[in-house]
Structures are given as C-alpha cells and as structure tokens.
Amino acid sequence: MPQIAETIKKSLQHFRQLFLAPTGVMVVTASLAFFYAFMEWLFIFTKPSFLKTLDFSEKLQVLLTSSGLLVLVSLVVLAPFILASMALKRWKNIHFVTLMLACLVPGVMLAALVLILVDNFTYTIFHFGIVNSAGFTRGLYAFLFVAIGLLLFTRLLEFTSLVSGYIGRRRLTWRLGLLGVILALAAGSAFIPMKTNALASLRQAEQTMSPSRTKLPDILLITVDGVNAEYTSIYGGENDTTPFLRQLASESLVALNSFSNGQGTIASITSILTGRPVVDTRVLNVTDMLKGNDAYKHLPGILADHGYYTAQFSNATYADAYKTNFLYAFDEANGRIAGQEPLEKALSAFYPGTTRIFIMDVIERISDRIEHIFFISDMANPYEQVTEAPTKFADAEKLDHVYELLATSRQPVFIHLHWLGTHGPKYHPENQVFSAGKAINEQASFSQPFYFDAILEFDQAVENIHQFLVESKQLDNTIVIVTSDHSQMWTNSRIPLLIRFPDGEHSGMIRENVQSLDIAPTLLDYLGYGQPLWMTGQSLLDESYVSQPVFTAKIPKSQKNSLTGKVTYPESKPPFYEFGRISVVVCDRWFELDLNLKQMTDGSVKDYPNACPQSITKQTAFDLIVEH
C-alpha cells in the first residue's frame, strides 16, 4: 500500500508539471475527432461496402461531412469544461483539474479508436474479435480497454501539454484565428452538404390517380427465404411440405412460373418493393443502397402517401429497409421506428442517403462493442448467423409483432414479413417430420430432410396467420402475398408466388413466366392507383400481360478458404462493380453470363410445367443480356 500511495503521489506531481491551455485542448480534441472519422472512413471504404461504388467526390463528401460533424459535437461537449476553466483561471489548481477533465473527451475518443482498430486487425487477420468473445474473454476485453484507456490518457495529457505550450507562445490573435479556422472548416464541411426533403415530393408528383376502393385492405407481403417452387406441394413436389398453402392456392392467384430478379435477399426484396430490376436499383449486395432519387421510388412509400402504416419484420443486417436507404418507406423496420431516435431523425432530415448510413454505422460499430465487453448487451454476429445459421432465427418473434400490428392499427397496414427459417445452411425446425430420427446438431449443410421440415414450419406459420385473420374477421379485407426471395442455393429455378385477394377475387393460375418485380404493379392495379413510369414490372391482373424475358442479377462467384472457412469475393471494380453474373430465363430455358470469366452457361428450368414452342440460341440470349 505505501508503494501504491507513493506511485500515485509521483504521478500527481508529474501531472502538476504539465501545462494545459484551453486552446491546446480544443486543437487536440478537434484533431482526434477528425482522425477517428478518417480511420473509420478508411476501413469502411476498403472493405466491401456501399462506399466502394461511389464517385470519389461523394466518398470525399462523406468523409468531410462526418468528420466535420464529429469535430463540432466534440467541441460542444468540451465547451462546458473550457468555459469553467476560464472562469476559474485565478485558482490554478482547480483550473488545471478542470482542463484535465476536459481531456477526457479526446481521451475517450482515443481509447475507442484503439479498441476499434485492434478489433478490426484481429478479426481480419485471425478471424477472432469482440463479437466472438464470451465469458472470461469478454471481461478481459473490458479490463484491457480500461487499462489501456488510462495509459493512453496519461500520454494524451503529455501530448496536450506540448501542444498547449507551443500554441501558448503565440499571440492571442493567432490562437483565436486558429480556432476560427477549425470551426469554419468543421461547420462548412458539416453544413454545406445539408439537403432538404424536396425530393420527397417525387412520388406524389407522379401519382395522378386516386384509389378506386373506399375501404383500403391491409396488405401482408410474406417472403420466405430460399424456397424453390418444386419443393412445395403447391407445385406438385414429392413431399407434402406446404399442405396449408396447397389449400390456400385454390382461392388465390397462383403463378406457375415465377422467377426472382436478384440472387440474394437484399437484391430480390428491393426489386419486389420497387417493381424495378436490379440493374436499375443497383442494389445487389448487402452493402449496396438506394441512392439519389431512387431512394424515394418504392411501393411502401406510395402506400404510405395514401394512408397506410408500413412495417417491415425482416433481418436488421441483411434485409433492412433503413440500411438500404428506403426513404419515407417504412414507419418501422426490424424494431426501429422511423424518427424515434432523435439523432437518426435529424440525420435523415438533413443528410438522406450515404452520409446518414455511414454515420449510423460508425456509431453502431463502437456502441455495440462497448456494450458487449461490459455485459450490457450481446453483440450479434450477423455474418455467422446468415452464413452458418448455428442457432434458430427469431421468426416467431416477428409473428407476434405482425399479430399485434394487425390487431391494434387504426390505419390500413402494409406489412413485409421475411421468414428466415429456411435460409440454411443449417435448419432448426421445432418438429421433425421429414428428418425424423436424425440429430439436428449433426446435420450437414443444406440437408434436404431438415430443409423440408423448415418449409413445413413456414407453412404452419402462414396457416397461423390465416387463422388469426379469420378469427379477427380481417381475412376478407386483407391481401396476402406469399413468395420467396430467391431459390435455394441461388439456382435458376422457379419460386412460389400466390396472392390471395379479399373474397378470393382473381383466383386462378397464370402459366406465363412472371417475375418478382410484377408484385408491386399488381397491388397498385388492384387498389386503383396509377403505376409510376419508373416502375417497370407489369400487373398480373392486366389481361394484356405479356411474358417478358426474366433477368436475374447475381454477385460474383465466391471462394472459400479451406483452412479458415472465410468466404471471399472478387474485388468490386469497373466496369461491372458488384455485378458478377446476369441470367435470363425465356420459357423453360435459362442462360447465365459470367461477367468476370466471360463465360456463358445454359440449362433447363427444373420441372417446368409448360410446353415451349421454340427455344432460343445462346447468341440471342447473350444479346438480350447485353441489351438489359
């Protein structure tokens, strides 16, 4: 104990020899704020993300705006300490302690930055980081964060003392001029790019028709992850995986040959919600986002303009409307309510798009890690959950939210529910029918018996929703759409699509090839709304519907490291960027062009039910893809 006391005494004596000045503290704080934003910008820019495909000018704007905002926020937090130190200047000890406390602002930023940098390094090189930590290791991270933070704080005080000494030797006008330049640069970077919400009128200006129905129906869009049509009993599959949907099909509009427009969940759902192909939305990978005017062009926004309450229950990381930059689309998405968070509300108002998403990403990256190591909340590993599916997805919780919203909303509702239990590569069905006698924890990746049980579980979930609508007397005022985002393993296969309209209207079968981007125009047609010019799909209710070649955009083929298990993709670069393959389906034939390998493959759609009059050649398919 005497040794510890002596050490503390020497440390205090050392600190008393330091010279701290308000200007020096402010300069150091502003510099660290900029450096923090720059390092996060550099990391997110160099990893696969939405920043990769932006113009350099837009990338630079993201950096300048975010760093300018962080500098201003840091200086605002610092201001009470600086003002207090100036007011207490005659009491040297109190004045010094106040400036020491002020240095906690840059100190916390420095400690947070080191934590982020170390975690980035260990996870990138060794595939281990805070997200993998548990128990003792998790607590060890917290201990090291505090210990290193204190060490860095002492070094920061010494550095701030040097800066204060250098600046202190300058004239007052020079010091004030320096602070003025810092504030001007920060304010200019933060405020000049601010935008208004004038673009929000884009959709309304294109809506020239009024709804023809006096009572607007609720709309329930249900997308199931990775289910082929041939694996369901709606379409004659060998296993009775969808007994309820088979019954529901008798009073629904059923497309026998429906195809997805995007390989992954985010691409296909964006096409469904916008009625536009992926080459128009440019949303293909999980890191892509709607940009500019495209952020306002979508079905949920049109419905919201006409009085609908819109909600999405999907996946906060891989299929989230907010992160994909659907603006003025959903009142709530995956547990977040639009405008509920003051910070996000302000950012959405003044920085719609890239800057807002970048800033929110930076905030989440550090807050998630801090909360995890101090046992406040568990940090999820969305990549592991989606690629390995080691645990069951929380689909049942989504159902509870759907029931609650249907029961309590005073507005007509549009709900998008995305079911992930069929995602794979591992499945966790509550009841084992097709996989009876097999151990769930010993299943191989994409084991079909477990996959069929997962489809059956989804079928039972839809039956429960149907029963709720019947019991609450809402069935005949609800449009229920059931489809899949894409096929299992992203093959060129048919996916299920059935639409149950109120009172069983428009029931029957469509034998022509249709596509996911036809769903939005179909709903608008039923409601009596005009279809915007930017929505390129066709209404399935239109008697003049003409089957078109169906194009599907896909990411490049990946490679998996046999030692680490890490999946990597070719670098996103011109001229195709994130686009790796484009396929086209014409009648029962598919053709796929690999944009990186410059190779074309083709084949027949599995279990295609129609007879095709004439097949097309590879050259014709190639020309169609190039034109698309």
Side-chain angles (χ1 to χ4, degrees), residues 139-197:
L140 182 61
Y141 267 107
F143 172 78
L144 292 176
F145 174 69
V146 173
I148 294 175
L150 291 173
L151 177 63
L152 291 172
F153 181 66
T154 60
R155 298 294 181 265
L156 181 69
L157 287 175
E158 295 172 354
F159 177 74
T160 306
S161 177
L162 292 175
V163 174
S164 297
Y166 175 79
I167 295 176
R169 291 192 293 270
R170 304 286 178 170
R171 293 182 179 180
L172 177 62
T173 53
W174 188 92
R175 298 199 299 268
L176 294 176
L178 176 62
L179 291 178
V181 169
I182 292 174
L183 288 172
L185 289 175
S189 300
F191 297 140
I192 289 177
M194 290 176 64
K195 301 174 182 179
T196 66
N197 291 331

Side-chain angles (χ1 to χ4, degrees), residues 76-106:
V76 167
V77 175
L78 200 66
F81 297 99
I82 297 299
L83 294 175
S85 69
M86 294 173 65
L88 301 170
K89 192 172 183 179
R90 65 174 66 182
W91 295 282
K92 292 185 178 180
N93 288 337
I94 300 177
H95 170 75
F96 180 78
V97 170
T98 305
L99 289 177
M100 275 187 63
L101 293 175
C103 288
L104 286 173
V105 176

Side-chain angles (χ1 to χ4, degrees), residues 22-40:
T23 308
V25 175
M26 294 174 72
V27 169
V28 170
T29 301
S31 301
L32 260 176
F34 175 81
F35 186 64
Y36 188 104
F38 173 75
M39 294 304 295
E40 283 289 78

